[in-house]
Amino acid sequence: MTTPHVTTQPSAAKAAVALLALALATAAFAAPEVHEFTLGNGLKVLVKPDRRAPVVVSQVWYKVGSSYETEGLTGISHMLEHMMFKGTESLGPGKFSRIVAAEGGRENAFTGQDYTAYFQSLASDRLEVSLRLEADRMANLLLRDEDFIKEREVVTEERRLRTEDQPESLTYETFQAMAYQTSPYRHPVIGWMSDIEHYSLDDLKGWYRRWYAPNNATLVVVGDVDPPAVRALAERYFGPLKPAAVQSPKPRPEVEQVGLRRVVVEAPAKLPYLLFGYKAPTAATRPEPWEPYALDVLAAILGGDESSRLQSRLVRGEEVAADVGVSYDPYDRMTTLFTISAVPAQGRSMDDLEAGVVEEVRRLREEPVLAAELDKVKTQVVAADVYQLDSVFAQAMRLGRLETVGLGWRTADEYVPRVRAVTPEQVQAVARKYLREEALTMARLKPLPLSSPVARASAPAAIEGGRHAR
């Protein structure tokens, strides 16, 4: 991180300069128009020109992820993502990746709770290669027993390395399974090991036939392209594909939590780890339209950067924490978790750390945020949102995800004005309404000696997504 240059400029003038720069950046990034059209078979196509460089990002998003799965099939979406690189009727195993590499591009895929997506980044004049390949595996994937057996072993090893051998990830997985009782968010994206070990090839074939169809997908193209040309290519390669009789999964909303839940995970680790998780609405489930944006601002107040409350008071002030973090996602498909994570400072107990976090949450519930602090945080939140769109990949990600979770890509245009409109009263209101002990799940990692026979590494690892080397 670059250290900011300190000047004697008055704070009001600095704020004006920052807001002017932000306004100019917002205008620059907001200028390109998103072009939307739907093919006759139901495939939705979103195209956003960005001509700053001769590159293009192409992404295909499917409305299926771990939250669509049922007991016994957890992780099947992620497993199928792996198998999507094993060849089609016209391409042998690995051929897809070799073609993209030969064109100077890069490609991969990822699986989340609410989606599975595949992407390529290429020179803009090579977009046709991407669309031809994606259309082929959307309809013509070959699922062979020999590939399936090998890839299932890969996924089981991935689970061992990324979750079972990572104490913080293991703690988070247990925490999530405790926090949710009925929501499918209680299952890990990668799946439970027992389910992975018992997948059959027919399970994969059934999942592919059920969800991989043009009318259950969105094609997103962002970069140095002309929308009419993209439409012609989409019609050429995806247009002939047949739609499927896709049935949405039955609703599985989370039941109301009626009391504090605690769980302790014992695993070989160097450091203890603390998690707080409060049930919170998203833009898709909120009772009031402003609530998810107030929660997003609240997350930044608590843990947005080095000047946030948890950092300044618990890490540098009282020195009870070595590290803290706050996470909230307003764009999940169902009720989500507002999460606080922390590691105690050397010589400080988990009870000290827990008490410190509880106190900061109490202050937000009982004391309105001062206008000056709120304005500063809102500027930071808006700036982070605007500047991340400097990436064509991030622009495509936002469009694809919003469309896939059912909010619609135009929701992206609401974010900045909604955040700017958040008031101190709204921040306090969502803190009181959602950061309640009755809706809280807490998890602690209790370290066991690293020398134990099942010793695990201590570095945390991401548990969401199917990004993998091939």
Side-chain angles (χ1 to χ4, degrees):
M1 175 181 289
T2 303
T3 303
H5 178 62
V6 179
T7 71
T8 58
Q9 188 179 21
S11 59
K14 286 194 288 184
V17 171
L19 289 172
L20 176 60
L22 185 58
L24 294 173
T26 303
F29 291 131
E33 180 183 357
V34 177
H35 300 256
E36 175 186 342
F37 51 89
T38 303
L39 304 189
N41 57 16
L43 178 71
K44 181 168 286 189
V45 183
L46 304 177
V47 184
K48 185 177 182 182
D50 186 325
R51 305 191 185 284
R52 289 173 296 165
V55 297
V56 64
V57 170
S58 172
Q59 299 175 350
V60 175
W61 291 73
Y62 292 94
K63 294 179 182 178
V64 63
S66 63
S67 66
Y68 288 68
E69 298 162 358
T70 56
E71 301 290 341
L73 285 179
T74 64
I76 195 75
S77 301
H78 171 258
M79 179 68 191
L80 181 56
E81 177 221 308
H82 277 244
M83 295 297 293
M84 284 285 282
F85 294 87
K86 297 303 176 182
T88 66
E89 295 172 5
S90 60
L91 295 175
K95 185 68 173 176
F96 185 112
S97 299
R98 290 194 291 272
I99 291 174
V100 173
E103 296 290 347
R106 64 182 185 91
E107 47 78 47
N108 214 312
F110 49 90
T111 304
Q113 294 175 321
D114 302 318
Y115 48 77
T116 308
Y118 303 83
F119 68 86
Q120 296 82 44
S121 298
L122 293 155
S124 53
D125 62 352
R126 310 312 295 158
L127 175 63
E128 182 176 3
V129 174
S130 175
L131 302 195
R132 172 171 56 84
L133 293 173
E134 286 292 3
D136 184 28
R137 67 177 173 183
M138 179 183 284
N140 304 309
L141 185 67
L142 282 184
L143 292 168
R144 292 172 285 240
D145 201 53
E146 59 270 25
D147 296 327
F148 163 67
I149 292 172
K150 292 178 181 177
E151 205 62 28
R152 186 173 58 184
E153 293 176 357
V154 170
V155 173
T156 57
E157 184 62 19
E158 180 182 347
R159 180 180 163 80
R160 289 190 190 97
L161 291 174
R162 298 177 63 184
T163 302
E164 297 182 3
D165 288 351
Q166 304 290 345
E168 289 190 7
S169 294
L170 186 65
T171 302
Y172 189 88
E173 182 179 86
T174 306
F175 159 77
Q176 195 163 347
M178 174 67 75
Y180 295 111
Q181 298 294 292
T182 55
S183 169
Y185 281 179
R186 71 188 312 271
H187 298 302
V189 172
I190 199 170
W192 300 110
M193 183 66 87
S194 59
D195 289 346
I196 297 169
E197 292 173 340
H198 290 91
Y199 294 152
S200 71
L201 188 61
D202 285 341
D203 291 333
L204 270 293
K205 290 179 178 179
W207 205 249
Y208 177 70
R209 286 193 300 266
R210 181 176 180 183
W211 300 110
Y212 278 58
N215 53 318
N216 196 48
T218 300
L219 169 64
V220 182
V221 177
V222 178
D224 186 18
V225 294
D226 294 311
V230 175
R231 180 166 193 162
L233 288 172
E235 292 278 9
R236 177 179 177 183
Y237 291 108
F238 289 94
L241 306 186
K242 295 180 180 180
V246 177
Q247 294 184 349
S248 299
K250 292 183 179 181
R252 287 184 284 169
E254 177 65 11
V255 296
E256 183 179 359
Q257 185 170 333
V258 292
L260 173 66
R261 298 171 186 161
R262 288 180 179 269
V263 61
V264 176
V265 176
E266 297 186 8
K270 292 181 179 179
L271 298 171
Y273 181 54
L274 177 66
L275 282 166
F276 280 56
Y278 298 91
K279 298 286 175 42
T282 65
T285 65
R286 79 290 185 274
E288 299 292 340
W290 53 268
E291 287 186 341
Y293 304 96
L295 283 163
D296 217 23
V297 171
L298 173 57
I301 291 170
L302 273 177
D305 63 9
E306 293 298 315
S307 65
S308 64
R309 291 189 177 189
L310 292 179
Q311 284 282 347
S312 61
R313 293 171 181 168
L314 299 190
V315 177
R316 296 192 303 279
E318 299 176 19
E319 297 184 346
V320 298
D323 188 30
V324 293
V326 180
S327 177
Y328 168 73
D329 195 331
Y331 295 145
D332 281 343
R333 189 168 64 93
M334 296 181 288
T335 296
T336 190
L337 291 176
F338 184 103
T339 304
I340 303 170
S341 59
V343 175
Q346 187 173 6
R348 303 304 295 265
S349 71
M350 289 287 274
D351 289 342
D352 291 339
L353 181 59
E354 180 181 321
V357 173
V358 168
E359 172 61 17
E360 291 307 318
V361 171
R362 183 202 63 78
R363 291 182 68 245
L364 276 168
R365 287 171 50 84
E366 297 182 5
E367 303 171 13
V369 178
L370 296 178
E373 180 183 12
L374 181 60
D375 288 344
K376 182 195 73 171
V377 169
K378 288 197 294 186
T379 299
Q380 293 170 343
V381 171
V382 170
D385 180 76
V386 171
Y387 291 137
Q388 73 168 328
L389 298 182
D390 188 47
S391 160
V392 292
F393 189 86
Q395 293 178 59
M397 282 283 295
R398 172 168 293 187
L399 295 175
R401 186 178 182 204
L402 288 172
E403 197 64 38
T404 302
V405 300
L407 290 169
W409 61 266
R410 290 178 177 83
T411 304
D413 296 333
E414 299 178 8
Y415 185 80
V416 169
R418 290 280 193 183
V419 166
R420 285 176 172 159
V422 171
T423 66
E425 293 76 18
Q426 289 175 336
V427 171
Q428 186 177 25
V430 292
R432 286 178 169 178
K433 186 175 181 180
Y434 298 112
L435 272 58
R436 299 177 296 112
E437 184 176 281
E438 310 91 84
L440 171 63
T441 300
M442 295 180 57
R444 290 188 179 190
L445 168 61
K446 179 180 178 180
L448 297 179
L450 292 172
S451 58
S452 65
V454 290
R456 299 180 174 103
S458 62
I463 64 170
E464 178 175 329
R467 296 291 299 276
H468 51 279
R470 282 181 298 277

